[in-house]
Amino acid sequence: MSRWLAAFLLGAGLAGGQTAPAKAAYEKANKLFVAKKFPEAAAAVSEALRLDPDLVPALTLKAKLEMASNHFEQARHALEHALLVDPKAEYAQFLYGLEAYVTNEMAEALPRFRKARQLNVKNPRAALYLGLTCESLGNTEEAMALYREAVRLEQAKGSVDAETLLPGARLLSLQGHLEESEKWVRQALKAAPNFRDSHFELARVLLKKGDAAGAVAEGETALRLTGTIVTDAQIHYLLIRAWRENGSPEKAALQADLLRSLETPKGR
Amino acid sequence: MLGRLPTCLVLFGALAVAVPVVAPSLIRFDEIAQKAGLQFTLRNAAAGQFHQIELTGGGVAVLDYNNDGCTDIFFTNGAAIPSLRKTGPEFFNRLFRNNCDMTFTDVTAEAGLTGEGYSMGAAVGDFDNDGFADLYVVGVHRNILYRNMGNGRFSDITAKAGVAGVDPRYGKMWAVSAGWFDYDNDGWLDLFVSNYVVWDGAKEPRCGSPERQFYCHPKEYQGLPGQLFHNNHDGTFTDVSQQSGIGKHIGKGMGVAFADMDGDGLTDIFVANDSVRGLLFHNDGQGKFSEVGLESGVALREDGYAIAGMGADFRDFDNDGKPDLVVSGIINDSFLLFRNPTQSGRLFDDYAQRTGLLMGTRQLTGWSLGMYDFDNDGWKDLFFGLSHLAELEKYLGRDSALPNRVFRNVEGKKFEDVSAAAGSAFQRAAMHRGVAFADFDNDGRVDAVVTVLNGPAKLFRNVSGGQSHWLALRLRGRQSNRMGLGAAVHVQLADGRDLYNAATTSVGYASSSEALVRFGLGANKTAKWIEIRWPSGGVQRLTNVAADQILEVDEGAKP
């Protein structure tokens, strides 16, 4: 359904009687989603869309729920519907990019995130994910520029998220810019001192710089914390090397044993 | 680029004429497969069903099967799916005889090498020490040992030899690569088989979406252990996988490479695994191996991520006398380069970043590879056979086919991508898979034969310019295995440089390269001395050896 047609229908009052209950159902669904009551949220969002199939926030929430359940096709259909109704729905557009990104469809993700950026150039998440997509496709220069922009945008809003800083820190480290990478990681640690991923990144940078003792300390700290993407196995592997470089092969061997103990039989 | 040089360097260069210097030559290749009569197309039998076995395969082996001094080529090939039968000649494996004039003749039928099953990889070794190179062909649930009868024919002796590869626990397995080496230095080649995953065509998992089906990630399949077969010296082998410790480690094995990593005289094993950590088996002696990949720092990428390891080579890239390790992976993995530590007890150093290989390979997907001195300047370069996974176009928005890449070794410090200058044919993209290396025209420059998924194989003739000299050693073991596999060779040049290499055919992924031990000598017309450490433990020293020859070295020869 085109946007003007939707507007016409709303304007003509054909959907008017259903909009308020639909919005109420959506609000309920959103509260349930925030409360992580996903089955209840899914039921509520279905009710909202039954009442108003073109309700963009409900379509967007449905997409989020579908993505959370790894139902990416359904998520994509919901987002395409939402964007057909409102092509300027920036959050739906961002999620549309994210849907492609998480399913590894980088060629699709790229224009979607670019459009999300166009719809709101002040959205740091759109800049960050466009950067991640560019990096995946080999455009590291643009990726780094976008990481910097994402950080700048968050700073302009008052605070920078550690997860916004770490992709840039990792790329800087890969490029051999260890000092600048360390600065980014330390900024991430300032933003979230107990975030595992930041401590792990700092340990990596320190190990590359030859500070094995520092890497051990940061690695051991990371192991005690929680994060988003860094696993225990990754930290153990780092600690194996850090302890060996630090002259303690017996402690390295202990880390290797710990890593091996985590290994489950491969495959199904 | 003279204009970019600082003035002082330009002046110094103009004055510095006292030492012999050969300007670095451009590495260049001509592609001559069609002209050479090397007409082979690898068939994977893909028909839209996204069977995992379609992705791999494509191994190629080089061997001088008739001992005429010219290296021949053997290609593995696929089969019909799901029957896994070679239902027609389009699926036959192929042997091409080198006519010694850079043309080849298909001699598959007379050699008896059409094969059976869905073949993947091949390994060359003279397992019975009769002076004729034998062939082990691995594949999906079917491995075959061919004994070279010495009369142009090969005989399938798999059953008698006991190397069918059927595991007591896992049954028939899918092997991608294999390699010959003498792990106990008893003078007879043993066999290592790199097994990938449990696969049943009738139970192929479905991945992607109904709209967009795609090949499943390897995590959807159960991994398998490698196998080790001990040579009983009588044409039979004993499966020693369990007692050696090899069979205790489950992986998703692709390429396998051998080297004596710590100079203890025993050959060690590295297995590149797909999406699980690489395995490094230290040879402890007495028939036992310890897996030390984690402790050595070569199991995973620096951030602890398991790359989709494909090919591997285990050679010394920085001329410090210790074999280093290079491993290829898929897009956004980056290829790995580990430098063997100079001090014992230290970790392998992650050298991919500082040599430029990390970012230089990040957008590549590599299959087979090799570390050879293509410009004979004394530094081993890197050649990668490349292509993304089939059907990846829709995810990447660009073609899955890729041109191959060659990286020039700049004095053991950097790897410089010189592919763009490597010739027009080198720029052509294709679905490259296996690569084997040999000097097919005996001109001292290492060539490469490359398989292409559902396309014609390529033969890259090395036409690099320059005046660099070279030397190749063809080893003839007596107490050691006849091919001298595992022998470590140290060359000292007149200009004082030391070069190191070792005899192995196990190079890259699913492929087998020539057994000759090669050295680029740069401007040196002689090697001051050559020291060969044979697997038997014997050390042989040759002095003042002239360059530009294939030197036959007999372990039993008097000094």
Side-chain angles (χ1 to χ4, degrees), chain A residues 73 105 173 204 244 263, chain B residues 209 212 277 302 345 353:
Chain A
E73 267 183 66
E105 297 189 30
S173 173
R204 285 178 65 200
R244 280 197 81 120
E263 291 180 333
Chain B
S209 62
R212 281 194 167 190
R277 65 183 171 89
E302 169 269 328
Q353 185 166 6

Side-chain angles (χ1 to χ4, degrees), chain A residues 154-185:
Chain A
E154 284 199 353
Q155 277 171 336
K157 288 183 176 179
S159 67
V160 186
D161 197 310
E163 289 185 85
T164 307
L165 286 153
L166 291 183
R170 289 190 194 101
L171 182 54
L172 286 165
S173 173
L174 283 174
Q175 291 173 328
H177 306 306
L178 299 183
E179 296 299 334
E180 195 180 358
S181 174
E182 186 179 341
K183 274 185 198 165
W184 282 53
V185 178

Side-chain angles (χ1 to χ4, degrees), chain A residues 266, chain B residues 195-197 222-225 249-253 273 276 279:
Chain A
K266 311 299 182 296
Chain B
N195 293 304
Y196 186 45
V197 296
Q222 186 183 349
L224 289 169
H249 299 273
I250 306 294
K252 296 182 181 181
N273 282 312
V276 295
L279 298 172

Side-chain angles (χ1 to χ4, degrees), chain A:
Chain A
M1 184 189 296
S2 66
R3 191 169 176 239
W4 69 264
L5 182 58
F8 171 78
L9 290 173
L10 286 167
L14 294 174
Q18 294 177 344
T19 301
K23 280 186 176 171
Y26 160 72
E27 295 295 346
K28 181 183 168 192
N30 198 36
K31 280 180 186 161
L32 290 164
F33 180 79
V34 171
K36 296 186 179 172
K37 293 180 176 175
F38 297 129
E40 294 86 348
V45 87
S46 291
E47 174 61 12
L49 288 170
R50 188 188 66 77
L51 294 168
D52 182 356
D54 294 334
L55 189 62
V56 170
L59 286 164
T60 309
L61 181 56
K62 177 179 166 59
K64 280 162 65 171
L65 285 160
E66 298 287 9
M67 284 167 74
S69 308
N70 290 331
H71 298 149
F72 293 103
E73 267 183 66
Q74 290 91 326
R76 188 169 71 240
H77 292 317
L79 291 167
E80 283 171 350
H81 187 165
L83 290 165
L84 199 65
V85 175
D86 181 6
K88 291 188 176 174
E90 59 179 77
Y91 187 52
Q93 183 63 44
F94 171 75
L95 284 181
Y96 194 40
L98 195 64
E99 183 274 326
Y101 181 82
V102 296
T103 53
N104 275 322
E105 297 189 30
M106 297 299 160
E108 282 289 320
L110 194 70
R112 294 181 191 181
F113 281 135
R114 281 203 198 285
K115 192 172 175 198
R117 280 268 293 153
Q118 281 172 3
L119 291 175
N120 184 358
V121 291
K122 291 184 177 172
N123 179 0
R125 289 279 126 180
L128 180 69
Y129 275 87
L130 180 57
L132 288 164
T133 308
C134 287
E135 188 181 346
S136 296
L137 291 168
N139 188 349
T140 50
E141 203 173 320
E142 186 178 357
M144 198 61 232
L146 284 158
Y147 296 150
R148 290 184 198 281
E149 177 65 1
V151 171
R152 191 190 67 76
L153 289 168
E154 284 199 353
Q155 277 171 336
K157 288 183 176 179
S159 67
V160 186
D161 197 310
E163 289 185 85
T164 307
L165 286 153
L166 291 183
R170 289 190 194 101
L171 182 54
L172 286 165
S173 173
L174 283 174
Q175 291 173 328
H177 306 306
L178 299 183
E179 296 299 334
E180 195 180 358
S181 174
E182 186 179 341
K183 274 185 198 165
W184 282 53
V185 178
R186 289 199 184 276
Q187 202 180 336
L189 279 167
K190 208 171 164 185
N194 294 318
F195 186 44
R196 161 186 277 204
D197 299 20
S198 303
H199 286 279
F200 176 71
E201 291 308 324
L202 184 56
R204 285 178 65 200
V205 173
L206 293 176
L207 191 58
K208 282 187 185 182
K209 289 175 69 177
D211 180 1
V216 163
E218 289 300 325
E220 296 283 7
T221 302
L223 211 46
R224 293 192 293 270
L225 299 172
T226 56
T228 52
I229 60 169
V230 176
T231 64
D232 283 3
Q234 283 178 280
I235 301 170
H236 288 310
Y237 189 60
L238 179 134
L239 285 170
I240 292 168
R241 290 169 297 133
W243 276 120
R244 280 197 81 120
E245 292 297 310
N246 205 30
S248 301
E250 68 289 346
K251 288 185 174 167
L254 182 66
Q255 293 296 327
D257 289 343
L258 288 168
L259 200 164
R260 286 193 175 97
S261 73
L262 293 175
E263 291 180 333
T264 51
K266 311 299 182 296
R268 294 183 299 180

Side-chain angles (χ1 to χ4, degrees), chain B residues 92-110:
Chain B
F92 288 173
N93 301 330
R94 295 277 172 186
L95 177 66
F96 287 86
R97 186 185 67 223
N98 186 338
N99 301 320
C100 295
D101 58 0
M102 224 30 182
T103 68
F104 291 80
T105 301
D106 185 341
V107 294
T108 311
E110 65 194 72

Side-chain angles (χ1 to χ4, degrees), chain B residues 28-32 102 441 443 447 459-463:
Chain B
R28 290 187 67 248
F29 296 96
D30 283 346
E31 202 288 292
I32 61 159
M102 224 30 182
D441 52 1
D443 68 350
D447 312 300
L459 180 56
F460 287 106
R461 183 182 197 177
N462 187 338
V463 292

